[in-house]
Amino acid sequence: MNAGSGDFAPYYIASNRHGVLTQSSNALARIDAWRPHEEGKRFTYSFGVDALGGYSSSVDYMRFQEAAADAAVPAGGLAVKNGLLVPHAEHPARVWLQQLYGELRYRGVFLTVGMKEHTSALLSSTLSSGDLVESGNARPIPEVRAGFHDFQNIPFTNGWVQIQGEISYGKPMDNKWLRNHYNYYYGHLNQGEFYSYKRCYFRTKPSQPFSVTVGMQVGAFFGGTTNWYTDGKYIRTRSYSRGIKQFFKMLVPTDGSTLAYYSGSSLGCWDLHLRYRLPSGASVKAYMQKPWEDGSGIGCLNGFDGVWGLQYTAPQPGLISGAVIEYIDFTNQSGPMHWDPDDNPGTTITHRAEGADDYYYNHEYNPYAYYGMAIGTPFMVSPIYNTDGNMVFAYNRMRGFHIGVEGVITPELSYRVLGGYRRSWGRYRDPLPEPRSDTSFMLEAGYSPRKVAGLTVLAQFALDHGTLLGNNTGGMITVRFSDVLRIGGRRK
């Protein structure tokens, strides 16, 4: 259960929770059952099911209605060209399926089918601000995913070089959510699209005191049908191919036309992690994620943009079991002007001004989000917060910092502290008249009494302060019973 003073739960209560909790007030029940893998076996399988239900508060979103010029403006509404923007209430489903999956493993490879929650492959799921491509901030997308379930030794390297990689194809199921939250006044809406994710990492021998991990990951939308609107008027529709050829192009990009466009909308990042293990057994990691959406980003030409972090991990749980500090910058995108002579056959103007970067957004596809929550880092304010019904990342020209600390006070009592500051100038295409900022904080305490096996009580207090998300204070209490019933096994 949670309650707060704003329309939405405080930032750190809602973020990196797989989209489960977004509203200001919730009273939810959650039940899950699973079969884990049997470690040590060459072939093993697992499956799981996870469902939620209960009450969540509503939030008003704007939607366009045609109206006469002298039409009365309803409470909370707004008169615009050709009509009105009228508020309507929306809330999450009262019951939904969060996870339903089956997974096979053989030696070092796996195959997963269904909805399964994923977190960042390299960043801390409890302390980091979030991975730029897949952070665990949004609900899981139904997909087929295959790859190496852990880093595997590359032959003939004697364990000095390891590889890890995954690829997936999925089908987002949030069409109804998008239709209900979009304002139908400006911009565009894509429905029926597919999702693809892939990554490849290389790591030096982890048993050594110093180890390096480097690689790339990318997520993308492709296919579907997009409708455009201007001043409340439907402008045009474009449908994109969903054939097997497009699936292949998402794996191996090729020129889509003489204009050298590529299929779909891609968002990726370069990852670099440097880890050093101290003689005490503790480890220190320095890491970087550099975002890209086109050639300039892949070439690391967007300045200091990205996540720059330091992480400390203790050799065993203690008063400080782990700590993270991160600097995040998205202010070095190229500006809104764009001129590419390749886009205009026959032009005599050959100079280039290739700009119009717009992180987490695309001129033909939906923002990089699922059920309104960023699939990548929640540090980039998600579209669910846009109560004006605008389906964009409205504040993606942003920079700030984030800290996280966790530890164990007693064997039964743990804590976690998260805090951060963000300042945004809007988007390059739609700059704010004045910058907006946000300071957020969360304190979490967990209690797991030894005398009651499987019981955990979790309490969180959090707040947001500033002009970006508004002033918001809230708290949450979670009571969890784990390992309630076992079938075909013994409680350990």
Side-chain angles (χ1 to χ4, degrees):
M1 302 179 65
N2 76 289
S5 60
D7 288 336
F8 300 95
Y11 169 67
Y12 280 121
I13 288 182
S15 298
N16 290 326
R17 196 185 290 272
H18 300 285
V20 167
L21 192 152
T22 58
Q23 310 302 94
S24 173
S25 300
N26 295 269
L28 300 173
R30 183 173 190 174
I31 185 169
D32 54 81
W34 69 96
R35 182 192 190 278
H37 285 288
E38 298 178 73
E39 299 300 333
K41 288 191 173 183
R42 287 189 174 186
F43 176 81
T44 180
Y45 68 95
S46 67
F47 55 79
V49 60
D50 178 9
L52 292 96
Y55 166 80
S56 298
S57 57
S58 299
V59 176
D60 286 341
Y61 289 84
M62 293 293 193
R63 181 179 296 166
F64 177 74
Q65 289 184 1
E66 291 190 59
D70 58 349
V73 179
L78 180 68
V80 293
K81 184 178 180 180
N82 299 326
L84 305 170
L85 288 175
V86 179
H88 67 286
E90 293 290 340
H91 60 76
R94 301 305 187 194
V95 178
W96 77 90
L97 196 61
Q98 179 74 3
Q99 298 184 83
L100 178 63
Y101 67 90
E103 185 171 280
L104 302 176
R105 285 187 188 174
Y106 179 71
R107 293 180 179 266
V109 298
F110 76 91
L111 173 67
T112 305
V113 179
M115 297 181 295
K116 183 179 181 181
E117 293 179 346
H118 298 283
T119 56
S120 172
L122 300 177
L123 303 186
S124 170
S125 61
T126 57
L127 294 178
S128 172
S129 63
D131 191 285
L132 292 187
V133 180
E134 279 198 344
S135 65
N137 185 58
R139 293 187 190 182
I141 295 174
E143 64 180 355
V144 176
R145 181 175 292 227
F148 299 115
H149 72 80
D150 199 354
F151 280 88
Q152 305 294 319
N153 291 333
I154 294 179
F156 310 113
T157 66
N158 197 28
W160 279 95
V161 184
Q162 299 178 324
I163 186 172
Q164 199 280 330
E166 298 182 9
I167 183 170
S168 80
Y169 290 99
K171 187 68 177 71
M173 305 298 289
D174 60 346
N175 282 350
K176 183 178 179 181
W177 190 96
L178 291 166
R179 290 195 299 268
N180 289 343
H181 290 75
Y182 180 48
N183 59 31
Y184 293 92
Y185 185 67
Y186 47 79
H188 61 269
L189 190 69
N190 178 278
Q191 296 185 78
E193 77 277 20
F194 288 93
Y195 174 73
S196 176
Y197 173 79
K198 48 188 174 288
R199 69 169 179 253
C200 183
Y201 293 134
F202 295 94
R203 182 175 71 179
T204 62
K205 200 168 189 175
S207 61
Q208 296 297 308
F210 180 70
S211 180
V212 178
T213 302
V214 63
M216 177 189 282
Q217 56 177 328
V218 57
F221 290 122
F222 67 101
T225 300
T226 302
N227 294 328
W228 280 265
Y229 297 84
T230 299
D231 296 332
K233 300 294 185 181
Y234 163 77
I235 302 300
R236 61 189 176 95
T237 295
R238 181 177 178 183
S239 294
Y240 304 92
S241 174
R242 310 176 202 183
I244 190 65
K245 186 176 180 180
Q246 300 305 314
F247 283 75
F248 178 76
K249 284 185 175 182
M250 298 309 298
L251 178 62
V252 182
T254 57
D255 286 356
S257 70
T258 56
L259 298 182
Y261 288 130
Y262 292 85
S263 297
S265 164
S266 295
L267 168 74
C269 72
W270 287 105
D271 292 271
L272 175 63
H273 288 238
L274 311 176
R275 190 268 301 153
Y276 182 73
R277 186 182 301 110
L278 303 173
S280 64
S283 65
V284 178
K285 180 193 294 184
Y287 55 89
M288 171 199 75
Q289 287 193 312
K290 292 284 291 180
W292 59 265
E293 294 180 318
D294 55 20
S296 63
I298 292 178
C300 298
L301 300 179
N302 289 349
F304 214 65
D305 280 2
V307 177
W308 306 78
L310 288 172
Q311 178 178 333
Y312 167 80
T313 304
Q316 58 188 14
L319 189 59
I320 298 180
S321 300
V324 160
I325 182 169
E326 295 175 337
Y327 172 73
I328 303 100
D329 198 335
F330 301 118
T331 61
N332 293 286
Q333 307 167 56
S334 58
M337 297 180 63
H338 182 83
W339 172 262
D340 187 343
D342 293 338
D343 296 347
N344 300 273
T347 182
T348 59
I349 303 175
T350 58
H351 294 289
R352 296 175 183 269
E354 297 183 25
D357 286 344
D358 203 355
Y359 286 161
Y360 281 39
Y361 190 59
N362 182 270
H363 66 288
E364 294 181 329
Y365 287 87
N366 297 326
Y368 191 65
Y370 188 52
Y371 282 96
M373 296 292 280
I375 299 172
T377 175
F379 196 86
M380 193 91 76
V381 179
S382 297
I384 195 173
Y385 294 96
N386 299 344
T387 56
D388 61 359
N390 193 10
M391 290 294 104
V392 300
F393 280 85
Y395 307 102
N396 62 9
R397 186 185 177 196
M398 175 184 294
R399 70 163 65 109
F401 68 89
H402 163 89
I403 59 173
V405 181
E406 63 183 357
V408 175
I409 300 174
T410 71
E412 296 181 330
L413 184 62
S414 63
Y415 77 92
R416 183 166 61 118
V417 178
L418 301 176
Y421 171 81
R422 294 175 287 179
R423 186 173 179 85
S424 174
W425 291 261
R427 303 163 63 206
Y428 276 99
R429 292 177 182 235
D430 190 15
L432 293 171
E434 296 290 337
R436 296 184 184 181
S437 62
D438 166 69
T439 301
S440 293
F441 170 83
M442 186 197 76
L443 174 62
E444 173 187 281
Y447 177 62
S448 301
R450 291 180 175 180
K451 294 182 179 180
V452 186
L455 171 65
T456 300
V457 179
L458 198 68
Q460 293 181 334
F461 168 78
L463 60 84
D464 304 322
H465 179 77
T467 55
L468 187 60
L469 296 180
N471 298 327
N472 185 16
T473 302
M476 186 185 73
I477 294 289
T478 300
V479 179
R480 178 189 301 129
F481 287 94
S482 299
D483 206 7
V484 175
L485 174 66
R486 280 180 175 248
I487 300 174
R490 294 185 304 168
R491 186 191 300 272
K492 295 183 179 179

